[in-house]
Amino acid sequence: MRSRINALGTFVMYVARPALIFLSTSSRRISEVAHPTYLLGFAVTSLVALLAGYVWSRKVGRTPRAGAAFDAMGSGGANSGFVGFPVLLMLLPSVAGGVFGMNVLVETLVTVPLCFFLAERGNARTGLWASIRPALIAMVRVPVLLAVVAGLAVSASGLVLPGVIRESFDLLGRVSTGLALFSVGGMLVGLSLRGRVGRVVAVSTAKLLVMPGLAVGVAFGLRALGLPPLEGELFAALVLSAAMPTWTSLPVFAARYGETDVPPAVLLVTTALSFLTLSGLLAVLT
């Protein structure tokens, strides 16, 4: 059963979701996909949450560097692919594609490489380049990033995709939302909360409560600095994106460094409780 769930997740991340993102990005004006204030807002929110999680884990939790790196990833990484995009597509369909593309750019170019860098620095024998190299390799292998880049190129060029291509990509994209949510449920089956409960509670709290609070503060802070304000659906999308549960890939990434107890528990807790926190946010934002 587990292998079948993993196969569904692989199909979503490597085929269906990239197809949907490419179609959504390429069919919009470049200004709709690359909103500077949103990009900066999501990047600052993610970095502050991530670095705060790392410092807390190291200084308060006395966690080794590799473990602290994945506490940081759990605190500042939002599940934009499997949960975020389906939710935004239902609630904010007019901006969902562009927002997801911008979230992927930030996560792939900034937050994920930084977490890998911090994890690699946990090895005292690892040099600076050896710490950076895995982050760069992970970055260029992300299918959704390639889809975003290709979509931006088509959008900037003004090309119109042939109807048969649009219909084929649309067909693939339509199955991604249901399969993504089903895959998340399957991945959570059998996960255990055994481990360091304090770390799980701290990281989950940072992800579900602190990060969306930071998003609100960052949005108003950027406006005070004179940047174009985030209003309406883009503001709601920023806060909701920050409130999503942690990355589905967190346990996979962390297992490479021997972190096999806390990350799965964080995934379980944040995914389960996000139904409550997201419902509360929606009541406030709508």
Side-chain angles (χ1 to χ4, degrees):
M1 181 64 180
R2 174 67 63 176
S3 62
R4 294 176 182 176
I5 293 294
N6 291 339
L8 288 177
T10 300
F11 174 77
V12 170
M13 293 305 295
Y14 283 84
V15 181
R17 185 55 46 78
L20 181 60
I21 294 308
F22 172 76
L23 183 63
S24 177
T25 306
S26 62
S27 60
R28 285 176 165 80
R29 295 191 303 272
I30 193 74
S31 59
E32 296 181 67
V33 183
H35 191 287
T37 307
Y38 184 93
L39 275 169
L40 183 59
F42 190 69
V44 172
T45 299
S46 299
L47 282 174
V48 172
L50 187 152
L51 293 175
Y54 183 79
V55 171
W56 182 92
S57 187
R58 289 285 292 151
K59 302 299 183 180
V60 179
R62 305 294 181 184
T63 309
R65 286 185 180 180
F70 293 104
D71 286 351
M73 182 179 281
S75 302
N79 193 339
S80 300
F82 281 89
V83 179
F85 184 71
V87 170
L88 292 178
L89 195 60
M90 291 186 290
L91 299 174
L92 308 169
S94 63
V95 299
V99 164
F100 177 68
M102 290 186 283
N103 289 354
V104 169
L105 282 175
V106 171
E107 291 163 357
T108 309
L109 298 177
V110 181
T111 51
V112 171
L114 178 58
C115 288
F116 274 118
F117 173 76
L118 293 173
E120 287 292 325
R121 294 304 293 165
N123 184 349
R125 296 172 296 177
T126 300
L128 181 62
W129 170 245
S131 300
I132 296 175
R133 184 171 175 271
L136 295 177
I137 292 174
M139 182 176 66
V140 300
R141 288 181 175 176
V142 177
V144 288
L145 175 64
L146 300 178
V148 170
V149 172
L152 289 174
V154 172
S155 176
S157 69
L159 293 174
V160 178
L161 296 174
V164 64
I165 294 180
R166 291 199 307 271
E167 292 175 7
S168 299
F169 277 60
D170 181 61
L171 182 62
L172 285 170
R174 286 177 184 272
V175 305
S176 67
T177 300
L179 285 181
L181 295 176
F182 184 81
S183 298
V184 169
M187 290 174 184
L188 295 178
V189 174
L191 289 182
S192 173
L193 290 177
R194 289 177 300 175
R196 298 171 185 171
V197 176
R199 279 177 62 189
V200 174
V201 171
V203 175
S204 300
T205 301
K207 179 71 222 54
L208 297 178
L209 299 179
V210 176
M211 190 173 175
L214 283 172
V216 174
V218 168
F220 283 104
L222 294 178
R223 181 174 185 172
L225 292 174
L227 274 71
L230 287 175
E231 297 177 335
E233 291 188 337
L234 277 178
F235 175 77
L238 176 64
V239 178
L240 289 174
S241 293
M244 295 299 162
T246 197
W247 279 313
T248 307
S249 300
L250 174 64
V252 179
F253 291 151
R256 302 176 188 175
Y257 297 84
E259 289 290 317
T260 57
D261 52 355
V262 173
V266 169
L267 175 62
L268 173 61
V269 171
T270 57
T271 302
L273 294 184
S274 66
F275 291 100
L276 298 177
T277 55
L278 284 172
S279 297
L281 279 175
L282 287 173
V284 174
L285 293 172
T286 59

